[in-house]
Every structure is written in structure tokens, then in C-alpha cells.
Amino acid sequence: MSTHLDKFSSATSLLTGFVLCIALSNGIVATSDKPNIIIIMADDLGFDDVSFRGSNNFLTPNIDALAYSGVILNNLYVAPMCTPSRAALLTGKYPINTGMQHYVIVNDQPWGLPLNETTMAEIFRENGYRTSLLGKWHLGLSQRNFTPTERGFDRHLGYLGAYVDYYTQSYEQQNKGYNGHDFRDSLKSTHDHVGHYVTDLLTDAAVKEIEDHGSKNSSQPLFLLLNHLAPHAANDDDPMQAPAEEVSRFEYISNKTHRYYAAMVSRLDKSVGSVIDALARQEMLQNSIILFLSDNGGPTQGQHSTTASNYPLRGQKNSPWEGALRSSAAIWSTEFERLGSVWKQQIYIGDLLPTLAAAAGISPDPALHLDGLNLWSALKYGYESVEREIVHVIDEDVAEPHLSYTRGKWKVISGTTNQGLYDGWLGHRETSEVDPRAVEYEELVRNTSVWLQLQQVSFGERNISELRDQSRIECPDPATGVKPCLPLEGPCLFDIEADPCERSNLYAEYQNSTIFLDLWSRIQQFAKQAHPPNNKPGDPNCDPRFYHNEWTWWQDEKASSSGTIGVMKVFTLLVVFIFTSSCIN
């Protein structure tokens, strides 16, 4: 099997080389006036698990330094689970419009992001960027065509499925008895990194990517998507994993699971520092946009729970509430006129494609019909006046139909997940166990290399205490009083500006009003036009035991080797034709 894959990979690399040469000769590759774009995405990080929100339970000084130096995105909305969130990021579309709205892709399921969808990576690569994905994919692995290097990324180092063990890079699907290795360098499975902690491994790969890019003084800008595993739980038999020396820093935390969670987040925080240091060493900071976010809220309870906290928000991952949908995020660029600020504009993860494209002078093809809005000007100048409509989720699954929709300050919820198990206020802010470094919090942040490096290229005083206060989410008693929402019994309506913790259900007061009827009509319009979910049941042919204990694109592997040989023959004829034509001309 590996022989055929190696041949295919070599063929692909050679063809890529031909295409790049043609692009260079025609002046397609962009010059360095386009900004480098670095996106660092955490997996299942709780809203309150970055200390710039105000918690002192465990600190994240590097992420905080990035936030205070740049712009804190106080209202960045994501999808409630991994697969739909990543689909929205890469397509600029609501998951309901790509069929990615229901649950996630389980490793044994033969489906993925539809091949007719254009990804952010494809758009940036077509406009001269080198594109690199490090870490998690989770948008399909059953066919090779679903995987990252077939969807616009020049390189992928990481795993294709939902998650892996932090050291063995294996994924175990216990309910089916499947267990296999899932880690690749582009199309080739690699065991070179077994035994290395994945967070550090991906960090080192990001640093090397930046150093290679800088050392070549490339006129080709860099698009780097660093999709961390951290702090997602690993396999069920050993979900919480971190290096011993990192865990030892949090001995003051009595709960072992939470101690490990703090260590996992801490290692993630160090990764952010290492990436920014690498950009600084290569003198790339001045012309870079750096974004940090989480793909969805943290799981406090239930499957893959980690003690993550979305305090003070309601709900958690895989629910229709704010605790699933709001991401703690920050962005930095020298282009911003209000560095050191808290931006309260609502922004959706699907807006990032057109917004970052605009920053690079790229206009996506209108034929793509993006749902995302270009908010670059608003972000650049600090405007907060765009009324954003966001379809968080419309899932008409028979077992648990539910929806969550926001327009401006109004939010509608109907139905829920898991019979309402995640409908409460699950996370809390721990105040009895405090990080010893908290007594010198501001000094800690100001002494990070992140702070020092960013200050060198973006001057200006920052009031850390004031910014930390502004980024807190407060939940005062609603002026309308506490009015319960029971989404399994009827719709709920919230004024999310006045009531971000979703404590006062206003449906009874507004159910016959123009406000609610207009919202409900809009929801029904979206539901009627929604793409059917792409989900498919598990396929036993995926079993890694059939493929040398590797998770691989089993639908392709089932075909005979003649398929690969046929591809090679076609490729050889193509190369001969190109070469002959160039000689004749």
C-alpha cells in the first residue's frame, strides 16, 4: 500500500512543481505586500479558560499578552461542535448550507466537506499564498479527495480525524472496537513523532514553517492554520494528558482532572508564545495578522468532558446556548487603529474568510455565495455598528431537532440536545485555588516575550486592568426578571445584549409581536433552503486493522492497485505532453 501512496505523492509533488513554475512565469505569485496570516485554533477551550477574561485559577500570560496588545473579540461566534465550526471557517458559509450541520464526522463515517465547496486555503493559494495546516482536520478522511492537501493546503502535518492520543497519535473508537494510528505528513503516514507530546510537536512544526519561510525571504506570503489538539480530551482510557513538568506547576489544584486540564491549556499558551517569537525572529511580525480562537465552547460535563469552564455563560459544547457558541478570541495586526481595545461587534467564524481575504486585497468570487460578511473595515477602524444575523444551528434531526439563531440583540432557541442535560449554567469560576503568579499578574503579562515583541512593532500604552475588566461578561439580574426557558416545550427569546447569560425568556411577551414573527419567518426560510445533512452511518470497511493499523482513506484503498497505476500512466503522458509542447514552442 505504502509503495503506491509514495508513487502517488511523488507524482503529485512533481505536478505541483510544474504548476508553480507556470504560475511564476506568468506573474501569478503575489509579492510580500500581502500580510502573512496565522490562525491558532484551540480545540474545546472553555470561554473562561483564558485569564484575560478575569479568572485567576490558572493563567495564560502569552494569550493574554496577545489579547491586550491587539483586539479582544468579545462577541466572536462559532458553531457548537468541531466539524461544523471548521467547515464554517474554511468555506465562509453556514453549516446548513454545506450539509455540515449535524453533529460531527466520526472516524468510521464515509463523508466529508462536499468536494464542490471552495475552501479558504484554495482561495489564498490561488492568490499567491503558501498554505499550511498543522494539526486537526476533521472534515473527512474516507476518501483521499476529502483530505487537506486535496483541499487547498500545500502541506498538512497532523491527524485527519476527531482527536488522537497526545503521545501515540492513535484514535480509538471504543463502541466499534477500532483503534489505529492517525498522523500524517501530507499524504504519507508518519510514525516519526510517536512519543512526542502533540502540542509541542505542532508548535515545533509551526516554528519551523515560519523559519523556513523567513530564511528564504519569500515573496510568497504565508497562510498558516495551526489547529491544536489541546485542550481536547484524548482517548477515553486516558483522556487527560500533559508532560509531568507542566502538571507539577499546578499542584495547588486539588482535582486531578482539572490539574491536568490546566497543564494542557498552559502548554497551549506556551505554543502561542513560541509562534509569535518565531515571527519576530524572522522579522515577519510587522506584516502579519495573528488570530487566536477556539472552535467551540468547552465540555464541562458528559462526553470528552475536561472540567472546561464557559462561565458565566449558559450551556456547553454541543448545545444551542452561548456557552457553546462564544469563543474567547483575540486578533492582532499593525493595521488596526485601535490596538489595545475590546471589540464588541458580533462576528461569526464564517466572516473570517471574507474579512481576512479583504485584508489581503482578495475579493472572493461572488459565485461562491458566502454567508460570511467582510468586516475588515469595521475591525480595522473599530466600528461596532454592523447588525449581524447568525444562524448558529438549524438541525432537523428527528431524534433531537433544535435551532439557535441571532439577529442583532435578539436570540431565538427552540429544541435542544441530549434531552437538556447541557442546558444549565455548568461552568464556574474557581476562586479558592488561585495561580500563585496572580499576585503579580500585570507584571507577568508585561514580561512575556509576546508582549515585548508586539510592543516593538505596535507602540502605545495598554491599560491591562481596564481591558481585563471590559472583557468580562457580567450577568446582572435581568430587568425583566428571571423567566425560565424550557426549549423542549416551546421557543425561547432572549435579549442577548441585556441578558448574555440567557436567564430571562421573553417569548411570552413577544410571541405575537412583529419582532418575533419576523425572526421566526427568517428561521423558517433558512430551514427550507438548508442543504440536507451529509452524515452517513459508519462503514466497517474503515477498520484500521485492514490497513496496517492506520486510519486511512479506506474507500480508495478498497480499489485495486491498478487504479494508482492508471493515475501514474495518465500523469506520465501529461508530463511528456507539457515537456514536448514547451520544446516545440
Side-chain angles (χ1 to χ4, degrees):
M1 179 187 71
S2 61
T3 301
H4 296 310
L5 289 182
D6 290 344
K7 288 180 179 178
F8 188 89
S9 181
S10 298
T12 304
S13 298
L14 186 54
L15 181 58
T16 301
F18 270 100
V19 173
L20 181 57
C21 289
I22 294 169
L24 284 166
S25 66
N26 287 282
I28 294 175
V29 176
T31 58
S32 58
D33 60 339
K34 294 183 182 296
N36 303 299
I37 296 173
I38 292 86
I39 301 175
I40 305 173
M41 180 180 280
D43 195 347
D44 285 9
L45 180 69
F47 184 79
D48 201 43
D49 292 330
V50 288
S51 48
F52 71 75
R53 290 288 178 202
S55 175
N56 288 323
N57 180 222
F58 57 85
L59 302 181
T60 53
N62 293 297
I63 295 171
D64 295 8
L66 172 66
Y68 299 139
S69 299
V71 175
I72 295 171
L73 305 178
N74 237 30
N75 288 292
L76 173 65
Y77 283 92
V78 293
M81 295 195 80
C82 304
T83 292
S85 195
R86 292 160 199 275
L89 171 69
L90 288 183
T91 64
K93 296 182 180 181
Y94 295 130
I96 60 164
N97 289 334
T98 59
M100 308 299 287
Q101 65 268 44
H102 178 63
Y103 202 60
V104 299
I105 301 175
V106 183
N107 278 35
D108 70 336
Q109 295 176 350
W111 62 287
L113 182 68
L115 298 176
N116 62 343
E117 295 295 341
T118 301
T119 70
M120 180 189 289
E122 290 173 302
I123 292 171
F124 278 90
R125 185 163 71 176
E126 289 168 1
N127 284 274
Y129 276 78
R130 169 169 172 75
T131 57
S132 183
L133 169 65
L134 304 175
K136 180 170 178 170
W137 176 238
H138 209 189
L139 289 173
L141 64 88
S142 61
Q143 299 176 29
R144 185 188 292 110
N145 286 340
F146 283 145
T147 62
T149 54
E150 303 294 314
R151 307 305 302 267
F153 288 98
D154 294 312
R155 191 212 179 182
H156 171 230
L157 179 72
Y159 52 105
L160 297 172
Y163 55 87
V164 290
D165 182 277
Y166 279 78
Y167 291 98
T168 67
Q169 290 109 55
S170 64
Y171 169 86
E172 181 177 5
Q173 193 171 329
Q174 285 191 335
N175 65 329
K176 301 289 181 68
Y178 304 144
N179 192 0
H181 175 261
D182 181 13
F183 209 82
R184 292 181 178 269
D185 192 339
S186 293
L187 294 175
K188 183 179 180 181
S189 176
T190 175
H191 289 253
D192 294 346
H193 310 289
V194 170
H196 296 277
Y197 190 63
V198 163
T199 304
D200 297 346
L201 189 167
L202 296 176
T203 301
D204 292 344
V207 169
K208 188 176 187 304
E209 184 81 44
I210 291 165
E211 290 176 342
D212 287 349
H213 191 83
S215 65
K216 295 173 184 174
N217 296 312
S218 178
S219 62
Q220 188 181 23
L222 176 64
F223 174 77
L224 173 60
L225 178 55
L226 175 53
N227 279 351
H228 271 295
L229 170 61
H232 194 292
N235 293 309
D236 290 345
D237 60 343
D238 187 15
M240 309 303 291
Q241 300 180 3
E245 71 273 13
E246 201 70 49
V247 178
S248 67
R249 300 174 187 274
F250 302 96
E251 290 181 350
Y252 62 90
I253 296 177
S254 58
N255 180 289
K256 182 179 178 182
T257 301
H258 192 53
R259 190 185 318 139
Y260 269 82
Y261 182 72
M264 292 158 77
V265 175
S266 180
R267 211 66 167 200
L268 170 69
D269 181 71
K270 289 179 178 177
S271 176
V272 173
S274 295
V275 169
I276 292 174
D277 285 348
L279 291 167
R281 285 195 302 272
Q282 298 302 320
E283 299 182 349
M284 293 168 62
L285 271 181
Q286 183 70 37
N287 193 34
S288 291
I289 299 171
I290 305 168
L291 169 66
F292 175 84
L293 75 161
S294 178
D295 62 343
N296 45 249
T300 307
Q301 299 178 5
Q303 186 179 30
H304 304 312
S305 58
T306 57
T307 73
S309 174
N310 303 301
Y311 175 88
L313 302 177
R314 185 173 184 174
Q316 65 166 43
K317 173 184 177 179
N318 190 21
S319 78
W321 310 97
E322 295 288 287
L325 304 171
R326 287 181 70 167
S327 175
S328 276
I331 189 168
W332 179 92
S333 167
T334 55
E335 290 292 306
F336 298 152
E337 292 201 354
R338 294 185 60 200
L339 286 169
S341 65
V342 177
W343 199 47
K344 297 181 180 180
Q345 168 68 47
Q346 289 179 343
I347 179 172
Y348 178 60
I349 190 170
D351 298 337
L352 295 174
L353 191 163
T355 297
L356 294 174
I362 299 170
S363 298
D365 187 343
L368 294 176
H369 300 295
L370 302 183
D371 296 306
L373 301 183
N374 170 14
L375 295 176
W376 177 247
S377 292
L379 180 57
K380 182 176 179 178
Y381 298 110
Y383 304 149
E384 300 177 339
S385 56
V386 180
E387 182 177 88
R388 188 69 178 88
E389 172 186 57
I390 303 174
V391 181
H392 303 297
V393 60
I394 298 178
D395 189 341
E396 297 186 317
D397 177 63
V398 175
E400 48 179 33
H402 62 283
L403 65 87
S404 182
Y405 168 87
T406 296
R407 186 170 71 193
K409 71 176 187 176
W410 298 107
K411 181 177 180 183
V412 178
I413 288 176
S414 182
T416 188
T417 58
N418 293 279
Q419 279 67 55
L421 287 176
Y422 304 150
D423 286 1
W425 293 265
L426 306 175
H428 71 284
R429 178 170 289 176
E430 181 62 61
T431 57
S432 61
E433 296 177 333
V434 174
D435 194 316
R437 299 172 294 173
V439 293
E440 300 290 345
Y441 173 73
E442 286 201 30
E443 183 179 350
L444 175 69
V445 172
R446 292 181 185 275
N447 284 333
T448 61
S449 59
V450 172
W451 181 272
L452 298 173
Q453 304 285 12
L454 295 181
Q455 284 293 300
Q456 287 184 14
V457 293
S458 57
F459 305 105
E461 185 55 39
R462 311 282 191 270
N463 188 325
I464 289 178
S465 295
E466 183 176 315
L467 289 171
R468 202 180 193 203
D469 286 341
Q470 289 178 11
S471 65
R472 298 174 195 261
I473 302 298
E474 301 291 344
C475 293
D477 290 336
T480 53
V482 175
K483 299 180 180 180
C485 163
L486 300 174
L488 291 173
E489 297 181 9
C492 303
L493 176 68
F494 298 98
D495 178 345
I496 214 68
E497 287 183 4
D499 181 24
C501 295
E502 299 168 297
R503 299 170 63 200
S504 183
N505 175 19
L506 304 177
Y507 174 70
E509 297 173 36
Y510 285 88
Q511 59 180 312
N512 296 315
S513 70
T514 301
I515 290 174
F516 179 78
L517 294 176
D518 283 350
L519 295 170
W520 194 252
S521 174
R522 184 67 170 154
I523 291 168
Q524 298 308 309
Q525 181 182 351
F526 276 112
K528 184 177 180 180
Q529 298 172 353
H531 187 298
N534 301 318
N535 303 65
K536 294 182 179 179
D539 179 0
N541 290 309
C542 76
D543 193 335
R545 287 174 293 188
F546 300 154
Y547 315 104
H548 307 286
N549 295 314
E550 298 283 347
W551 284 101
T552 189
W553 31 81
W554 70 89
Q555 291 186 316
D556 296 326
E557 294 296 337
K558 286 195 300 182
S560 68
S561 60
S562 61
T564 303
I565 294 171
V567 171
M568 288 297 296
K569 286 181 178 178
V570 172
F571 173 75
T572 302
L573 290 172
L574 177 61
V575 170
V576 170
F577 174 78
I578 294 174
F579 180 77
T580 304
S581 299
S582 63
C583 290
I584 293 172
N585 294 331

